Amino acid sequence: MEHITLAHGSGGKLSHQLIESLFCRYLGNPYLEQLNDASILPTSGRIAVSTDSFVISPLFFRGGDIGKLSVCGTVNDLAVSGAIPKFLTLGLILEEGLEMAVLERIIASLAATARQAQVQIVCGDTKVVERGNADKIFINTTGIGYPRTGAEIGPQKVRPGDVILINGTMGDHGIAILSEREGLEFETPVTSDCAPLNSLIDQFFDQGITCMRDPTRGGVGTTLNEIAQQAGVGMILEEEALPLRPEVAGACDMLGLDPLHLANEGKVLVIVAPAAAATVLEKMRRHPLGAQAARIGTVQAEDPGRLLLRTALGAKRLVGMLEGEHLPRIC
Amino acid sequence: MPEKMEHKDKARALAYLAAISRLADQPLTIMEVCGTHTMAIAQNGLRELLPANVRLISGPGCPVCVTDNSDIDRFLFLAAKPEVITATFGDMIRVPGTKKSLQSLRAEGADVRVVYSTLDALELARKNPEKEIVFLGVGFETTAPTIAVSIETASRENLTNFSVLSLHKRVPPALRALAADPEVQVDAFLDPGHACAIIGTRPLEFMAEQYGKPGVVTGFGVLDILEAVLMILEQRAAGRAAIEIQYKKVVKAAGNVRAQAMIEQVFTTADASWRGLGLIPESGLNIRPEYRAWDAAAKFALPRFDSPSPSGCRCGDILKGRIAPDECGLFSATCTPLQPVGPCMVSTEGTCAAYYRYARK
């Protein structure tokens, strides 16, 4: 069985072999194939840039792997910022001894996700560290996107009365990773929601959106708290409206976790002016990644900076940010 | 996260609330003595739903929170020994002692492992024969049986590098101390469902007989808690006091006899110090002399510490239900879940943590 050796990161012959037999084969495009020290990209004015590093353990999980995740993470950060993702860079840190077949599986998945998200990998770098100095593979991706013109969104645009939508169930990624890591088995296994969101967001971006965020680490609860604090508004969620798989609810109950604090990798929180809410919700539901989209709450003037939850019985309670860390290396 | 409510459950909950309102003709203070109840009440906003004259207050129901500062310093002293691997449930990691916590010791190089069961701790002992594995036995009657089994297993396997520092507490003596304390103004108790699954209800009957305090052993759902509050109100309306079981699917009056026998085999009752409540006779579980080789306190000749409570921390008053968390000057200012001063803020089941998370003003 072939393994990664320190020579694969030396810049010498084995590095070149790796680039040609693996990276160009799976990720090839005119920018990458020039194999220059830098790629020259076309732009038309302003660009959006985002970067993210991926250290998830395990590398493969139900619904995804580190390759897919490293495309989705950066693509989604660009997309929720109102940009159209176009290009990604790819930085790899490999541990000596990593099986070549594992690397190939990851790169193949990364390539398939990039095609799905319609982004091109335009440059890359590979380093190999001695065994024990990294855990198999760490990935960094930096993404470039084109901001949509005339579509300024962000917390400063959020107003009391705006409606809060989400495109589906909460916490699937968090529980999928946790169950792989801790060997928990459920009757219906939970699959990570890891997916590129740009084609979903394309459906409704022009429809009165005031703010969007992807609730990754820290979950819906932490992300909405951030927006509420930045926007100086209050927010109230309706417990009965929160989409949640019964398996995820059961796992949370068992483990003492709050699904509002669990990580998602294919969810977007959309805050929209009240008049446009129904249209956006309908457009979300017509897309495969939004079939279970729901209206989950409202922005209010009261309790600025705070996120509240109205329970099924009508009591209100505070939803805080995630304190500490549920689980390291979840993405 | 509160459970999703089915339509019929919601109807039942509303019916309980209506019945509670009808019966609540005079003030009633109910104390829950289980951290899981504390969390469920806060998560579901139940205080807000009950009539204003029905007050729910939290008692010493979180085992981490009632652990005395001197005991925390004792296990930190042990954890700092180079030959020791400390095995503990996760909640203890951040509990601050006088100077350090397990977390800060770990950063300094101490070997501290979070385990999910005593089986993991035994496995650590088998795999690390050159090390001493010390398991922190913190809990009520609920966890004592499995820890007793681990000591029995270690004894059977002659696993001499495993030991337990037993800081276990017993619920009934604490309830007696609360009932006898004139500072504690409580009319009735929600009794702990998990602990009573082990000990049954008989050890609690003195609360009704001697002190006239109704008690209901309660499950952990919204419906369970509301039904139990209603059962207490019904007792009062009928002019009686008894220990009743709401959590019937799990708790029997006689409890779990096998688990009781396991506790009896390995542990013996002893006086124990509770944070805020002080020394309570017969309220602790020490390891019997027959199992001395697995008793960390004996094995390492642990000194006693005389550790003061952190200055300004009112965990003691909170554990007695004398004040609510936001009446403590440190609450949410200098004491937060990330930088806890007292243990009531550290444990996920602590009263302060529950208030901080769900009801902070």
Side-chain angles (χ1 to χ4, degrees):
Chain A
M1 196 182 302
E2 221 191 323
H3 291 90
I4 290 290
T5 64
L6 290 173
H8 283 108
S10 66
K13 202 167 173 187
L14 277 178
S15 298
H16 282 275
Q17 257 178 31
L18 193 63
I19 290 167
E20 278 167 24
S21 69
L22 195 61
F23 301 134
C24 286
R25 189 169 126 225
Y26 282 99
L27 306 171
N29 60 62
Y31 301 108
L32 190 66
E33 280 156 9
Q34 287 169 15
L35 298 179
N36 286 333
D37 282 352
S39 291
I40 310 297
L41 305 173
T43 66
S44 54
R46 300 184 310 153
I47 60 166
V49 186
S50 182
T51 190
D52 209 342
S53 297
F54 301 86
V55 298
I56 190 166
S57 167
L59 298 179
F60 300 93
F61 47 88
R62 192 176 283 274
D65 55 76
I66 190 169
K68 180 179 182 185
L69 193 63
S70 59
V71 173
C72 295
T74 298
V75 162
N76 292 348
D77 282 344
L78 290 170
V80 299
S81 309
I84 300 164
K86 301 299 278 186
F87 307 110
L88 290 185
T89 71
L90 176 65
L92 299 175
I93 294 173
L94 308 179
E95 183 189 15
E96 175 188 24
L98 175 69
E99 287 170 29
M100 197 61 88
V102 168
L103 179 61
E104 181 166 353
R105 225 177 119 192
I106 290 168
I107 297 300
S109 165
L110 191 148
T113 313
R115 270 194 302 281
Q116 187 194 347
Q118 297 186 298
V119 291
Q120 291 178 307
I121 312 293
V122 292
C123 62
D125 175 59
T126 304
K127 296 285 190 302
V128 181
V129 297
E130 302 91 327
R131 191 186 287 272
N133 288 354
D135 188 5
K136 300 184 190 77
I137 176 169
F138 297 152
I139 302 182
N140 172 275
T141 56
T142 295
I144 292 174
Y146 297 158
R148 289 178 168 85
T149 45
E152 196 198 336
I153 59 169
Q156 74 282 3
K157 294 277 178 183
V158 173
R159 296 286 175 271
D162 283 0
V163 171
I164 306 166
L165 309 174
I166 190 167
N167 62 316
T169 51
M170 302 185 303
D172 299 356
H173 181 72
I175 292 298
I177 299 305
L178 195 69
S179 47
E180 302 260 355
R181 283 250 280 271
E182 304 298 334
L184 307 175
E185 285 176 23
F186 303 108
E187 270 178 44
T188 328
V190 179
T191 300
S192 167
D193 56 348
C194 177
L197 292 166
N198 46 341
S199 70
L200 169 73
I201 291 170
D202 285 344
Q203 307 302 313
F204 57 76
F205 191 81
D206 51 353
Q207 304 283 329
I209 309 298
T210 53
C211 187
M212 278 194 291
R213 290 264 166 97
D214 53 339
T216 53
R217 281 176 300 174
V220 169
T222 304
T223 304
L224 287 179
N225 262 294
E226 284 164 7
I227 301 175
Q229 284 166 20
Q230 289 167 359
V233 297
M235 292 182 180
I236 183 145
L237 295 176
E238 303 296 333
E239 183 183 35
E240 288 187 294
L242 294 172
L244 197 58
R245 285 182 204 287
E247 309 86 90
V248 172
C252 284
D253 212 27
M254 197 173 79
L255 301 167
L257 302 172
D258 189 335
L260 285 166
H261 288 150
L262 287 178
N264 307 279
E265 288 293 344
K267 291 291 147 19
V268 56
L269 288 163
V270 179
I271 303 182
V272 57
T279 312
V280 173
L281 188 59
E282 202 195 312
K283 286 177 186 276
M284 281 172 122
R285 284 181 175 159
R286 275 199 227 126
H287 190 280
L289 292 177
Q292 288 174 279
R295 173 181 179 143
I296 60 171
T298 317
V299 177
Q300 55 181 14
E302 302 92 82
D303 299 309
R306 290 157 70 90
L307 175 64
L308 299 172
L309 176 87
R310 195 184 339 261
T311 71
L313 293 176
K316 276 192 236 172
R317 63 119 161 140
L318 190 67
V319 180
M321 290 194 167
L322 174 63
E323 305 264 355
E325 184 72 271
H326 270 162
L327 180 72
R329 294 182 58 193
I330 196 153
C331 59
Chain B
M1 183 78 180
E3 67 257 58
K4 279 247 162 164
M5 271 207 160
E6 303 280 340
H7 187 69
K8 65 177 196 312
D9 290 344
K10 192 169 163 181
R12 251 180 82 199
L14 294 173
Y16 285 142
L17 281 166
I20 288 168
S21 290
R22 274 197 303 278
L23 284 179
D25 50 359
Q26 41 182 314
L28 177 72
T29 299
I30 304 173
M31 177 181 270
E32 88 272 355
V33 274
C34 170
T36 316
H37 287 151
T38 303
M39 284 304 276
I41 289 165
Q43 269 189 334
N44 291 290
L46 290 186
R47 285 192 181 82
E48 187 191 331
L49 294 176
L50 290 171
N53 58 1
V54 175
R55 211 158 68 92
L56 294 181
I57 63 172
S58 306
C62 152
V64 174
C65 308
V66 300
T67 302
D68 195 67
N69 247 31
S70 57
D71 285 330
I72 296 172
D73 283 342
R74 284 172 86 205
F75 71 65
L76 292 174
F77 174 84
L78 258 183
K81 288 180 176 288
E83 72 272 27
V84 167
I85 298 179
T86 306
T88 175
F89 295 138
D91 266 9
M92 297 302 288
I93 288 281
R94 294 189 302 126
V95 176
T98 303
K99 292 207 178 93
K100 309 216 153 142
S101 66
L102 286 175
Q103 183 171 259
S104 65
L105 283 177
R106 184 158 71 178
E108 290 169 21
D111 196 342
V112 179
R113 315 275 181 98
V114 173
V115 294
Y116 294 94
S117 85
T118 50
L119 296 176
D120 299 341
L122 286 170
E123 197 51 34
L124 272 177
R126 292 185 197 106
K127 283 195 178 143
N128 297 279
E130 74 293 352
K131 288 281 197 174
E132 283 291 337
I133 311 312
V134 178
F135 182 81
L136 299 184
V138 172
F140 294 117
E141 290 93 336
T142 326
T143 45
T146 58
I147 289 164
V149 169
S150 76
I151 292 174
E152 162 62 25
T153 307
S155 135
R156 207 160 6 89
E157 291 181 18
N158 202 23
L159 203 55
T160 53
N161 65 329
F162 173 84
S163 60
V164 172
L165 181 63
S166 178
L167 303 172
H168 286 95
K169 305 276 191 291
R170 299 173 62 226
V171 171
L175 286 175
R176 184 185 292 280
L178 288 168
D181 187 339
E183 283 185 352
V184 178
Q185 308 267 318
V186 175
D187 303 310
F189 290 84
L190 293 181
D191 290 322
H194 293 143
C196 289
I198 306 293
I199 64 172
T201 53
R202 282 169 200 150
L204 302 184
E205 267 161 15
F206 71 92
M207 291 292 286
E209 287 161 8
Q210 291 176 29
Y211 296 98
K213 306 281 186 196
V216 174
V217 180
T218 309
F220 301 96
V222 177
L223 289 172
D224 294 326
I225 294 169
L226 291 177
E227 186 179 13
V229 169
L230 180 59
M231 286 167 76
I232 287 172
L233 280 160
E234 284 168 348
Q235 285 194 33
R236 186 176 71 173
R240 61 192 183 89
I243 306 302
E244 295 178 325
I245 303 174
Q246 180 279 329
Y247 198 31
K248 286 204 177 82
K249 57 185 174 197
V250 174
V251 178
K252 304 279 170 278
N256 180 336
V257 179
R258 270 189 62 203
Q260 290 165 23
M262 203 62 233
I263 295 178
E264 178 66 19
Q265 181 184 332
V266 173
F267 294 108
T268 175
T269 59
D271 300 349
S273 287
W274 294 54
R275 181 185 295 266
L277 304 180
L279 192 77
I280 303 179
E282 305 281 290
S283 69
L285 289 172
N286 281 7
I287 296 169
R288 286 185 182 277
E290 300 92 289
Y291 293 96
R292 195 181 161 79
W294 293 274
D295 180 353
K299 186 173 188 174
F300 295 94
L302 264 188
R304 291 257 156 215
F305 288 84
D306 181 21
S307 316
S309 286
S311 148
C313 171
R314 299 188 67 188
C315 277
D317 287 330
I318 287 160
L319 290 169
K320 280 182 167 178
R322 291 186 61 204
I323 63 166
D326 50 9
E327 293 173 64
C328 171
L330 306 185
F331 179 76
S332 96
T334 44
C335 184
T336 66
L338 280 181
Q339 292 284 334
V341 177
C344 296
M345 187 61 94
V346 179
S347 166
T348 50
E349 297 201 332
T351 306
C352 295
Y355 267 71
Y356 184 91
R357 287 219 191 133
Y358 301 118
R360 196 162 16 115
K361 293 285 185 293

